[in-house]
Amino acid sequence: MGAMEETVQNVLKQLYDLDHAVQVSRPEPAFGDYATNVALQIAKQVGKAPRDVAQEVAEALRQTGEFSEVSIAGPGFINVRVAPAKLISRLNEVWTDRYGSSEDGAGKTVVVEYPSPNMAKPYSVGHLRPGNQGWAARRLMEETGWRVITDNHLGDYGAPLGIWITGFLRFSSDSLLAEKGVYELGRVYIAMKKALKEEAASGAHELADEVQSWLLRFESGDAEAMAYSQRFNEISLRHIHEVMGRLKIATDYELGEAFFAPQGKAAVQKLLQTGVAIQNEDGSVIVPLEEFGFDVPLLVQKSNGAALYATTDLATILYRENEWHPDRVIYAVGAEQQFYFSQLFAMAKKLGIKTELIHLWFGAIDQLNEDGLRERMSSRKGVVLMEDLLNQAEAKAQSVVEGREVAEDDVKRIALGAVKFSDFTADRRTNILFDWDSIFALTGFSGPYVQYAAVRVNKILQEHGTGTMLVQDYDYAAEKAVVAKLIEYPEVVRVAARDLEPHKVASYLYELAREMNRYYEATPVATGGVDETQKQARLGVLAKVSHVFTHGLSILGIEVPTAM
Ligand code: ARG
């Protein structure tokens, strides 16, 4: 809570003429509402025993009249209690229609890149986290006032095209493709990968040559190759958009690798001219990065002149600089590409690019196998298809609301709420365990749990109105914990945005939901003997809770159902 910190800071200034950054924590409720160990921190500086400093600070805090109780514990911890009326008037002071939003990033531009799936295959769960985390990063930047540009960096370039064409001609047909669409492309791709592997093992290279020749034909603008590429891309892109539509994520731009490949090659030529890059004897081009601590240089062009992943990324960086002049670029991509991005960013530095480039990485999705052991979700049983996962999630959501009047759209919201929220139940850097029962647990740290709490609040507000923000002759004693929680919210968003850690918003929402459930157990809101003053005051608090649920969930890409 910003205000408590400020009050303590003022007191330190007044007592010791000291500018000290004060941290406040939430102690066990038995001790107080807020606590600080600042006396221990500054005792040396002040030249007094911690206990004496604590006495002096505590006395000065009492004098401010902001606290209903100030006490000292242990060697010099200060605990305070705040009068509920103080809390509600503080909330009233800071409340706005955009409560939780700030202007910290005003005037700054950020490019956020997600989910960047690959064209060659059906959308898999491999691109679930890039979408969830990228979307949350986007929302956090938006809510803190940045100008946000989003870009879907499609993996639509390189070997897959050669593999597709060759595979299509050998293993597929027009009618199969028409019927199965991207799933047929996926099947062909897998079959070809296998065939190529077997061929390589046998020492032959006929198939590999064919793949290569289609690629070269495409690069030289051959009409037949271009037509295949266009046809496959259309099928693939339609599928990607369908899935992104179901996930309710979208981007402003979709500039994929293919768009950047030609520019990348031109950029590599420039790097050679300026001496930033070096051409090997075989024709390949590297950028040495020793001065950045990398023994391995970054390969930016193949020996045959073809563009690589890094070539297109080089062009992407230059393009964004020229077009958008961002202060920051965020790449939502899994942990496995950490080394690659650290090299890429080092190259950007070498080129004199000052933009803050952030690899927003995250762990894998695990699941439990039949033996109850954790394993990567996509292992063993083959790739898990995003559409299958969403279908299953919707079926689960349907069973959660069984017997109740819940619209189709709400079922979908619950399904997405469960799937997405699970992405934010731990720090993004850890692997997450995807387990159907816990992601739908109506009593646990889950999306549906928070959604249910939000729906419940909204229902009461719908029936009884939205009350009054600040009722003068009401004490707000019963609402104290909820109001204290509400006051924390803007700081939670600010910190989550600063650290790009949306899981902090998820934890907060869960705590708020729990606080609400505790509240209902003890306090009737609008019926059961409440008088009009109590009712208006309580509804007023609930309206603020409703705002925060909707706002917070929207940061995670989750909607509040109308019923569940
Ligand atoms: N398509 C890539 C993948 O699925 C992710 C692209 C990440 N973005 C980038 N600029 N390299 O692995």
Side-chain angles (χ1 to χ4, degrees):
M1 181 185 69
M4 159 89 187
E5 279 132 20
E6 237 179 86
T7 309
V8 181
Q9 259 163 15
N10 290 340
V11 159
L12 297 183
K13 180 90 193 157
Q14 170 205 317
L15 286 176
Y16 312 115
D17 196 24
L18 203 66
D19 288 309
H20 187 84
V22 174
Q23 269 151 22
V24 164
S25 58
R26 302 289 305 270
E28 290 290 315
F31 293 110
D33 298 325
Y34 301 102
T36 179
N37 63 356
V38 72
L40 300 170
Q41 289 177 6
I42 64 167
K44 258 221 175 76
Q45 247 171 303
V46 173
K48 289 184 183 171
R51 187 85 196 177
D52 295 337
V53 177
Q55 297 283 8
E56 289 173 357
V57 173
E59 186 47 37
L61 287 174
R62 277 181 206 113
Q63 299 295 328
T64 64
E66 284 195 33
F67 307 105
S68 57
E69 192 187 318
V70 182
S71 60
I72 298 172
F77 296 103
I78 301 170
N79 295 314
V80 302
R81 272 185 218 289
V82 187
K86 283 268 185 234
L87 279 183
I88 192 76
S89 59
R90 192 166 295 157
L91 181 63
N92 184 44
E93 276 165 34
V94 293
W95 188 265
T96 69
D97 290 346
R98 297 182 64 244
Y99 188 66
S101 310
S102 70
E103 293 303 319
D104 293 359
K108 288 190 281 186
T109 299
V110 58
V111 177
V112 190
E113 184 196 292
Y114 61 86
S116 314
N118 300 319
M119 301 282 260
K121 26 198 143 155
Y123 209 115
S124 83
V125 289
H127 286 91
L128 179 58
R129 298 205 80 184
N132 291 344
Q133 296 289 335
W135 183 267
R138 164 213 181 124
R139 294 285 301 114
L140 284 170
M141 296 292 91
E142 282 172 351
E143 292 305 334
T144 47
W146 291 68
R147 168 178 171 242
V148 182
I149 297 169
T150 54
D151 188 18
N152 189 4
H153 193 77
L154 297 167
D156 54 0
Y157 179 80
L161 179 65
I163 293 177
W164 268 350
I165 303 179
T166 309
F168 176 71
L169 294 172
R170 299 220 177 186
F171 308 129
S172 188
S173 67
D174 287 336
S175 62
L176 270 173
L177 189 61
E179 188 193 331
K180 303 226 168 83
V182 74
Y183 292 98
E184 177 63 6
L185 291 178
R187 186 190 70 79
V188 161
Y189 187 81
I190 291 167
M192 271 297 288
K193 280 284 203 193
K194 191 164 165 252
L196 283 166
K197 211 167 159 188
E198 281 164 12
E199 184 188 69
S202 77
H205 48 76
E206 194 189 333
L207 211 52
D209 288 347
E210 197 176 326
V211 169
Q212 207 49 41
S213 89
W214 275 114
L215 260 187
L216 290 177
R217 281 175 70 175
F218 175 72
E219 295 214 1
S220 63
D222 171 84
E224 202 185 345
M226 301 280 273
Y228 274 124
S229 159
Q230 204 180 345
R231 184 171 163 200
F232 296 159
N233 278 346
E234 265 168 30
I235 292 173
S236 209
L237 208 50
R238 201 183 314 133
H239 166 73
I240 286 170
H241 288 157
E242 249 168 52
V243 175
M244 284 175 65
R246 285 184 74 179
L247 289 168
K248 301 213 176 153
I249 56 174
T251 58
D252 304 325
Y253 293 89
E254 276 188 327
L255 304 173
E257 292 171 21
F259 173 80
F260 291 111
Q263 302 172 36
K265 288 194 205 170
V268 168
Q269 288 314 308
K270 258 217 180 117
L271 294 193
L272 281 171
Q273 280 158 23
T274 53
V276 170
I278 296 170
Q279 187 141 32
N280 292 323
E281 267 169 31
D282 66 357
S284 62
V285 179
I286 56 170
V287 177
L289 297 168
E290 279 126 5
E291 65 267 46
F292 296 95
F294 293 97
D295 298 337
V296 202
L298 185 60
L299 186 64
V300 290
Q301 189 179 294
K302 275 205 222 177
S303 55
N304 66 4
L308 288 153
Y309 194 44
T311 323
T312 54
D313 264 327
L314 164 65
T316 308
I317 291 175
L318 298 174
Y319 178 91
R320 289 171 178 162
E321 289 295 311
N322 285 330
E323 294 292 316
W324 299 326
H325 312 288
D327 298 279
R328 169 189 283 186
V329 181
I330 297 173
Y331 298 76
V333 186
E336 64 283 356
Q337 292 190 33
Q338 259 178 303
F339 181 70
Y340 168 73
F341 277 107
S342 59
Q343 278 197 315
L344 183 71
F345 296 170
M347 174 171 72
K349 269 218 187 90
K350 192 161 173 162
L351 299 180
I353 287 163
K354 301 263 179 329
T355 307
E356 181 189 13
L357 304 174
I358 298 176
H359 177 202
L360 186 86
W361 58 276
F362 32 80
I365 303 180
D366 294 339
Q367 67 184 157
L368 295 178
N369 65 20
E370 302 84 51
D371 305 324
L373 298 172
R374 249 179 118 134
E375 63 178 19
R376 280 286 288 270
M377 197 170 202
S378 53
S379 64
R380 275 179 22 136
K381 288 170 211 133
V383 176
V384 179
L385 302 174
M386 198 66 206
E387 290 198 297
D388 288 350
L389 183 102
L390 288 175
N391 292 342
Q392 275 190 62
E394 283 169 17
K396 292 267 179 201
Q398 186 64 55
S399 70
V400 164
V401 300
E402 207 52 67
R404 270 167 283 160
E405 195 75 28
V406 176
E408 172 98 27
D409 274 350
D410 280 340
V411 171
K412 289 184 178 162
R413 288 185 179 115
I414 297 163
L416 276 185
V419 170
K420 289 187 181 184
F421 197 91
S422 72
D423 219 290
F424 306 110
T425 47
D427 184 295
R428 63 181 152 76
R429 299 162 191 90
T430 58
N431 289 5
I432 51 171
L433 181 63
F434 192 92
D435 164 56
W436 285 111
D437 288 336
S438 49
I439 73 172
F440 277 97
L442 277 173
T443 50
F445 186 19
S446 75
Y449 176 78
V450 177
Q451 282 177 319
Y452 188 77
V455 167
R456 192 170 173 191
V457 173
N458 290 347
K459 197 161 162 241
I460 298 173
L461 295 171
Q462 252 160 30
E463 268 172 43
H464 303 282
T466 50
T468 306
M469 171 90 214
L470 184 60
V471 173
Q472 290 302 345
D473 42 7
Y474 179 66
D475 68 4
Y476 290 91
E479 290 71 30
K480 182 171 171 182
V482 172
V483 175
K485 201 82 211 144
L486 287 174
I487 289 178
E488 287 174 27
Y489 182 61
E491 188 63 12
V492 169
V493 177
R494 199 169 278 139
V495 168
R498 183 195 67 199
D499 303 341
L500 291 171
E501 291 186 337
H503 73 281
K504 289 176 175 161
V505 175
S507 310
Y508 170 87
L509 292 171
Y510 174 62
E511 287 160 19
L512 180 63
R514 267 205 326 210
E515 210 60 83
M516 281 313 293
N517 288 337
R518 262 181 232 133
Y519 176 66
Y520 294 128
E521 269 171 37
T523 318
V525 176
T527 51
V530 287
D531 64 36
E532 194 57 23
T533 306
Q534 289 171 327
K535 181 173 157 182
Q536 291 312 319
R538 288 174 184 177
L539 289 170
V541 172
L542 257 57
K544 306 303 170 278
V545 172
S546 167
H547 169 96
V548 169
F549 274 139
T550 303
H551 191 277
L553 284 171
S554 89
I555 287 176
L556 308 179
I558 298 172
E559 293 175 325
V560 178
T562 47
M564 70 184 279

